[in-house]
């Protein structure tokens, strides 16, 4: 463990935890806005239905009814489609190992690259430099940072648009307490 980190933990995310974690994120941050827009589009469609009943010769109101219902359906469908696509994309390579590193005033999240020396067709010394591991993503513990705890996972949310799912299954109770207390450590 690096001396600058209070907690450093490697973990894997199962496809089911990823699906449930992203669904929980959408329930908290995406669905409320989507429901408001669905309601507005439905209300507009009903208004255009009323207008088309009052003036049956106004063909524009018929078109606007269809457009408004189309937008309402899109608002309902898009979050589900996005979740499905993300889960399918994640399911193609669920063996990734991630690292959560908690420091003073920040959290680093990175992908741990596993070198496969065996079963490799690349010669050991081919004269090229090995690719350095990618830099971790640093999340400052400021007013944009939020953490949500569920039975099986934690959601680390930054700015309502960046979300990290941390499964709780391999964490000790002390490590879970460290993650729980991240919000109180805002700098």
């Amino acid at each position: 463990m690096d001396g600058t980190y209070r907690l450093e933990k490697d973990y894997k995310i199962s496809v089911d935890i990823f699906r449930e974690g992203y669904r929980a994120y959408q329930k908290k941050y995406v669905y409320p806005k989507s429901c408001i827009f669905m309601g507005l589009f439905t209300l507009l469609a009903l208004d255009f239905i009323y207008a088309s009943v009052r003036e049956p010769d106004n063909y524009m109101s018929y078109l606007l009814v269809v457009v408004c219902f189309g937008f309402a359906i899109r608002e309902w469908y898009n979050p589900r489609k996005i979740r499905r696509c993300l889960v399918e994309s994640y399911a193609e390579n669920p063996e990734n190992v991630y690292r959560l590193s908690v420091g003073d005033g920040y959290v680093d999240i990175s992908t741990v690259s596993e070198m496969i020396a065996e079963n490799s067709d690349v010669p050991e010394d081919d004269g090229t430099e090995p690719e350095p591991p990618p830099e971790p993503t640093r999340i400052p513990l400021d007013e944009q940072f939020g953490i949500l705890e569920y039975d099986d996972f934690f959601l680390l949310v930054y700015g309502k648009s960046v979300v990290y799912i941390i499964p709780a299954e391999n964490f000790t109770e002390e490590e879970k307490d460290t993650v729980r207390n991240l919000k109180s450590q805002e700098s």
Side-chain angles (χ1 to χ4, degrees):
M1 185 184 310
D2 187 357
T4 60
Y5 295 125
R6 289 180 288 138
L7 170 67
E8 193 167 34
K9 184 76 170 184
D10 292 349
Y11 61 91
K12 288 184 180 183
I13 305 171
S14 71
V15 175
D16 291 334
I17 293 291
F18 185 85
R19 180 182 302 110
E20 291 305 312
Y22 198 75
R23 179 178 290 136
Y25 164 74
Q26 284 183 318
K27 282 182 182 178
K28 177 79 174 172
Y29 295 104
V30 177
Y31 288 163
K33 177 190 78 73
S34 186
C35 287
I36 289 170
F37 279 111
M38 280 186 337
L40 287 174
F41 288 131
T42 303
L43 187 64
L44 281 171
L46 293 174
D47 185 47
F48 289 125
I49 288 172
Y50 176 71
S52 65
V53 167
R54 278 190 333 175
E55 295 181 34
D57 294 338
N58 187 356
Y59 296 112
M60 182 62 91
S61 61
Y62 295 119
L63 176 67
L64 290 174
V65 167
V66 172
V67 168
C68 287
F69 277 134
F71 280 140
I73 290 169
R74 186 192 68 161
E75 285 295 326
W76 173 83
Y77 178 72
N78 275 354
R80 286 151 184 83
K81 178 184 175 191
I82 290 169
R83 182 177 65 236
R84 188 188 76 233
C85 289
L86 283 174
V87 170
E88 286 174 359
S89 174
Y90 181 79
E92 290 176 6
N93 194 7
E95 296 302 316
N96 282 341
V97 177
Y98 302 96
R99 176 171 292 149
L100 171 72
S101 305
V102 178
D104 291 328
Y106 62 90
V107 173
D108 286 341
I109 297 182
S110 59
T111 302
V112 179
S113 60
E114 295 183 16
M115 300 296 287
I116 303 175
E118 302 171 359
N119 304 333
S120 178
D121 296 334
V122 178
E124 286 185 31
D125 187 16
D126 62 356
T128 60
E129 295 279 329
E131 219 176 277
E135 290 291 318
T137 301
R138 180 156 288 184
I139 304 170
L141 301 179
D142 58 15
E143 64 278 346
Q144 294 185 46
F145 177 79
I147 185 164
L148 302 170
E149 182 178 2
Y150 295 89
D151 292 339
D152 298 331
F153 56 88
F154 294 95
L155 285 181
L156 303 182
V157 182
Y158 189 74
K160 296 183 182 179
S161 62
V162 178
V163 63
Y164 293 97
I165 302 163
I166 312 293
E169 63 188 0
N170 296 327
F171 284 66
T172 65
E173 204 54 45
E174 181 181 315
E175 292 169 337
K176 288 179 187 177
D177 286 340
T178 301
V179 174
R180 282 182 193 114
N181 294 325
L182 287 176
K183 187 63 180 163
S184 62
Q185 298 172 16
E186 290 180 357
S187 55

